Amino acid sequence: MYVVDLTGKTAIVFGVANHRSIAWAIAQILHQAGARLIIAYQNDRVRDTVEKLVEKWEGTILVECDVTEDSNVASVYSSIGQEIDTLDIIVHSIAYANKDDLGGAFLETGREGFRLALDISAYSLVPIVKYGAPLMGDDGGSVIAMTFQASTHVFPGYNVMGTAKAALENEVKQLASDLGLSNVRVNAISAGPLDTLSSRVISRYRDMKRVHAERSPMGRNITVNEVAKTALYLCSDLSSGVTGEIVHVDTGYNIMGL
Ligand code: NAD
């Protein structure tokens, strides 16, 4: 029988803002499996919330990291490098776009809004892996990122974030190719709609969620715990031969044509 035991492993999770964050569900399941957690939160605004979430987790490290500067990412890893032996798991669960760019016509997306969304939501995976992978030991490690089906299909309202997810998924494949011989695996989870701070600002989010439940083969929306369980699989030895993959956790919605 296979049991996922991450005792002795260390995971860094980027993107916990509150108890609804997908990153928080993933952090919890990794913690339950025995991993030591490092939580990289964006800024002061979320620090108290994040501190409260992890207050009972002994040995957890909290670090601030705004990913818009490479130097912030590099210094996170240099600070934790002194406290851990090796890093085994990296979770990227970060996205941002201006509210104005998450509604109306995609045609109206401005250059600065495009740059911002792509920078935070897609480019950030590159420094997060570039500076994090060297901390992974001889056994390698696992990196996961969070994506959405708007990378390949049009979801009106999701707009520039769809462009960012297309870039992110391409990065996952290129990074998987770069790091495969180091036994560092890079995958993404393409999740169905979930109520979080980020999804709330997408202008047609409610429609997306309703249609998803109506049309998916399983006839319902997903739960955040279903994403976390797939994350656990991707972060553990159970997925040792899987890299560069986009795994859908969407009750099958992506396979439907009608
Ligand atoms: P969330 O708002 O809880 O998480 C987004 C995180 O990004 C927050 O923790 C925020 O602090 C962080 N962030 C934003 N700008 C940052 C910056 N400059 N530096 C560092 N961190 C920054 O929302 P979520 O829904 O949990 O989103 C997590 C990931 O899941 C995102 O990539 C999102 O696109 C993806 N996703 C969400 C859904 C959904 O329906 N909620 C579906 C598929 C994929």
Side-chain angles (χ1 to χ4, degrees):
M1 192 173 93
Y2 281 104
V3 176
V4 179
D5 182 4
L6 298 180
T7 307
K9 304 281 185 194
T10 302
I12 185 164
V13 177
F14 291 82
V16 180
N18 64 22
H19 71 285
R20 289 185 189 279
S21 295
I22 295 172
W24 175 236
I26 296 173
Q28 285 180 91
I29 207 163
L30 296 176
H31 171 75
Q32 284 157 14
R36 181 181 187 193
L37 267 295
I38 301 161
I39 308 285
Y41 61 90
Q42 183 183 357
N43 57 27
D44 273 1
R45 271 186 298 136
V46 295
R47 182 173 41 218
D48 286 355
T49 307
V50 175
E51 261 173 14
K52 284 203 187 81
L53 288 173
V54 301
E55 69 188 353
K56 297 208 172 98
W57 294 1
E58 220 170 287
T60 300
I61 302 172
L62 293 188
V63 279
E64 184 172 318
C65 185
D66 185 317
V67 299
T68 48
E69 295 289 339
D70 283 3
S71 57
N72 295 345
V73 179
S75 74
V76 159
Y77 286 117
S78 63
S79 71
I80 61 167
Q82 293 154 11
E83 298 197 47
I84 62 168
D85 294 334
T86 56
L87 183 65
D88 305 284
I89 294 162
I90 299 174
V91 177
H92 177 288
S93 187
I94 289 175
Y96 183 79
N98 287 329
K99 193 170 186 307
D100 289 351
D101 291 324
L102 294 172
F106 173 71
L107 190 67
E108 297 301 328
T109 310
R111 192 177 293 266
E112 180 49 25
F114 185 97
R115 190 203 60 73
L116 184 72
L118 272 282
D119 184 18
I120 297 176
S121 317
Y123 180 73
S124 63
L125 182 66
V126 176
I128 280 176
V129 175
K130 177 178 170 182
Y131 296 112
L135 298 188
M136 291 179 159
D138 294 340
D139 292 343
S142 172
V143 179
I144 60 169
M146 290 302 310
T147 186
F148 181 61
Q149 202 198 344
S151 59
T152 52
H153 290 65
V154 177
F155 286 74
Y158 205 80
N159 295 15
V160 70
M161 194 55 78
T163 321
K165 293 306 188 194
L168 184 74
E169 290 180 18
N170 180 268
E171 288 167 47
V172 163
K173 292 174 191 176
Q174 298 208 53
L175 292 168
S177 168
D178 280 354
L179 296 170
L181 290 179
S182 308
N183 209 25
V184 174
R185 300 181 293 107
V186 187
N187 294 288
I189 297 175
S190 184
L194 288 164
D195 298 351
T196 64
L197 267 184
S198 294
S199 61
R200 243 183 16 196
V201 295
I202 300 161
S203 65
R204 294 194 54 193
Y205 171 71
R206 289 283 144 213
D207 291 341
M208 279 165 54
K209 197 173 167 192
R210 179 180 47 77
V211 171
H212 183 102
E214 281 169 14
R215 299 207 187 145
S216 67
M218 295 176 77
R220 63 170 176 84
N221 290 117
I222 62 159
T223 66
V224 74
N225 193 45
E226 287 173 327
V227 174
K229 285 188 289 183
T230 295
L232 182 62
Y233 152 74
L234 288 174
C235 292
S236 76
D237 187 56
L238 288 182
S239 58
S240 59
V242 180
T243 195
E245 206 56 62
I246 313 298
V247 182
H248 290 88
V249 179
D250 65 351
T251 53
Y253 184 80
N254 75 94
I255 66 168
M256 300 305 289
L258 180 68

